[in-house]
Amino acid sequence: MPIPLLDLQRVHRPLLDQMVAAVRQVLESGQFILGPGVAAFEEAAASYLGVPHAIGVSSGTDALRATLSVLAMTGKKGTVLTTPYTFIATAEAISQAGLVPRFVDVDVHTGLLDLGALPDEPEDIVGIVPVHLFGQCVPMDPLMEYARARGMWVVEDSAQSFGATWKGVQSGAIGAAGCFSFFPSKNLGGAGDGGLVTTCDDELAKYVRASRAHGVLTRKYYSDFLSGNYRLDALQAAILSVKLPHIDEWNRARLKVADRYLELWEESGLLRKGLVRPLARVEGSSHVFHQYVVRVARRDVVAQALSRAGIACAVYYPAPLHVQDAFAYMGHEPEDFPASMELARTTLALPIFPGLTLAEQKEIVNCVATCLRVPESA
Ligand SMILES: Cc1ncc(COP(=O)(O)O)c(C=O)c1O
């Protein structure tokens, strides 16, 4: 049987009746955009995440775009630090908010922002967008300390880290704001696009809330500032409300799968020989394993062997942002960010989801082991 990267049917099956009933209720209500269903989900999400404000928006990209645009409008414009080893949305939203992205390399062991590479001279840097990549938090204590000492804000890109915590505090609840994605494949995913902005700042919340509906702060059909349409729809909120109570159980199941992979790599000898190196876990952060990513010898050969065996795998991300045409204007050379390049060349994401069986994991590990035992010239 083929093994997918993510089997959503397996995750959804026990909740299908509940989801259908929730969708039916929305259809019967005739209230499709925002409304009580979205408000109820926002309240539940705010309570889970431990923040006073959770604002439902149309995607993770729009969560970033709305938040960063408001910060650019209400504060100083300038440069914003982020990494090139992330999904395009992070730096794209910085640019589209009228801010200037500046890349900082990642730590080659974790794939997360390398705090040691942060610039000493703050110059015109106004903020930082750390990405809690693959499901674990960037070390937030030292990052917040760095930012506070220099008067910068921090907006957490929590698209991949719903439910992950830094020293017990939820990702997205630490910086000035957190931006989440409910893309269907995320740990908490909708049945379409969706996103969320979290913040403890009443003023920021007020403006982000307005920004999701054309900058209307108080009076209907009177815009206080230019923005766009970033609203969450009621069908997505209904699905997300059914799924939210299960997020901890699903995240625990993912962690168990990751722990089992580690045991299997050890047993296979691949770990000892350095042929497979899972990305390192960060002390102080919990890990919700949105993706299970390893650095692997002869990555492309292994990927081919897996797909021949019907086992899905993926490369996140094959081209760091600084080598993509969209950011060619920055004039970077590939090796300006060597850790990002190294990870782009050597990492492979393997199947991980609640319900992935031990037998399936053994099959995956055996396939990698068999492939790596074949001499390179074969
Ligand atoms: C790190 C990161 N940021 C932002 C986004 C954008 O989220 P969305 O696809 O919901 O717009 C994603 C989605 O894949 C992501 O992985």
Side-chain angles (χ1 to χ4, degrees):
M1 284 292 279
I3 307 175
L5 207 52
L6 165 67
D7 188 342
L8 266 180
Q9 271 99 333
R10 254 188 259 188
V11 180
H12 284 164
R13 204 166 292 129
L15 297 178
L16 213 52
D17 287 346
Q18 248 181 294
M19 290 200 284
V20 169
V23 166
R24 190 187 174 95
Q25 205 178 355
V26 175
L27 294 176
E28 282 171 353
S29 78
Q31 170 95 50
F32 296 116
I33 306 287
L34 299 179
V38 170
F41 171 67
E42 289 175 337
E43 203 177 308
S47 158
Y48 175 87
L49 295 167
V51 288
H53 305 286
I55 302 151
V57 292
S58 36
S59 69
T61 304
D62 293 338
L64 287 162
R65 203 202 308 247
T67 306
L68 295 169
S69 300
V70 165
L71 287 168
M73 177 180 76
T74 54
K76 273 196 296 185
K77 282 205 170 55
T79 301
V80 175
L81 305 175
T82 195
T83 75
Y85 187 59
T86 176
F87 183 59
I88 182 78
T90 318
E92 183 184 51
I94 294 171
S95 291
Q96 289 182 343
L99 300 162
V100 181
R102 173 168 159 189
F103 294 130
V104 176
D105 208 359
V106 291
D107 178 327
V108 76
H109 303 291
T110 61
L112 302 175
L113 179 74
D114 179 359
L115 299 178
L118 289 168
D120 284 332
E121 52 355 308
E123 285 172 15
D124 69 337
I125 301 166
V126 295
I128 312 174
V129 183
V131 183
H132 301 314
L133 197 70
F134 302 145
Q136 67 176 340
C137 294
V138 171
M140 288 305 283
D141 288 353
L143 183 71
M144 292 304 291
E145 206 173 296
Y146 170 91
R148 275 198 203 105
R150 293 164 179 80
M152 303 170 188
W153 45 253
V154 171
V155 169
E156 299 171 69
D157 185 336
S158 300
Q160 301 188 8
S161 62
F162 198 101
T165 56
W166 168 257
K167 297 194 174 161
V169 182
Q170 290 285 336
S171 105
I174 302 163
C179 296
F180 293 87
S181 163
F182 300 131
F183 185 79
S185 66
K186 294 293 191 276
N187 291 27
L188 179 65
D193 279 310
L196 192 77
V197 178
T198 50
T199 182
C200 298
D201 180 331
D202 296 347
E203 200 61 11
L204 184 57
K206 184 176 91 181
Y207 278 94
V208 170
R209 214 170 263 287
S211 87
R212 75 178 168 182
H214 304 287
V216 174
L217 268 173
T218 47
R219 269 188 289 161
K220 210 172 174 188
Y221 298 121
Y222 186 95
S223 289
D224 294 84
F225 58 94
L226 287 178
S227 183
N229 171 5
Y230 308 141
R231 297 175 301 225
L232 182 65
D233 70 69
L235 285 169
Q236 297 315 323
I239 299 278
L240 291 164
S241 291
V242 171
K243 292 179 74 176
L244 180 62
H246 300 273
I247 188 67
D248 285 341
E249 161 201 332
W250 290 333
N251 284 344
R252 272 195 303 274
R254 285 171 176 270
L255 180 62
K256 191 168 155 199
V257 168
D259 288 343
R260 251 175 6 205
Y261 267 127
L262 194 59
E263 284 164 23
L264 293 170
W265 299 130
E266 264 163 11
E267 280 167 26
S268 71
L270 292 171
L271 201 63
R272 191 168 25 85
K273 291 184 193 141
L275 295 172
V276 169
R277 286 174 289 171
L279 289 191
R281 297 192 197 177
V282 173
E283 214 187 308
S285 174
S286 69
H287 203 322
V288 297
F289 282 98
H290 172 57
Q291 300 292 351
Y292 182 77
V293 176
V294 297
R295 292 163 73 191
V296 62
R298 300 163 64 202
R299 193 265 311 271
D300 295 339
V301 178
V302 171
Q304 274 169 19
L306 286 166
S307 72
R308 269 200 305 274
I311 299 167
C313 61
V315 174
Y316 300 115
Y317 296 92
L321 302 185
H322 69 287
V323 301
Q324 298 191 21
D325 277 352
F327 292 105
Y329 71 90
M330 289 183 173
H332 283 301
E333 294 296 328
E335 289 310 316
D336 286 351
F337 303 102
S340 297
M341 291 306 291
E342 167 70 12
L343 292 172
R345 277 191 291 261
T346 60
T347 56
L348 202 56
L350 297 172
I352 190 163
F353 51 87
L356 183 70
T357 66
L358 176 60
E360 286 171 317
Q361 285 191 265
K362 283 185 175 165
E363 199 180 321
I364 296 163
V365 169
N366 283 341
C367 181
V368 174
T370 308
C371 172
L372 289 177
R373 275 183 207 121
V374 180
E376 199 143 350
S377 55

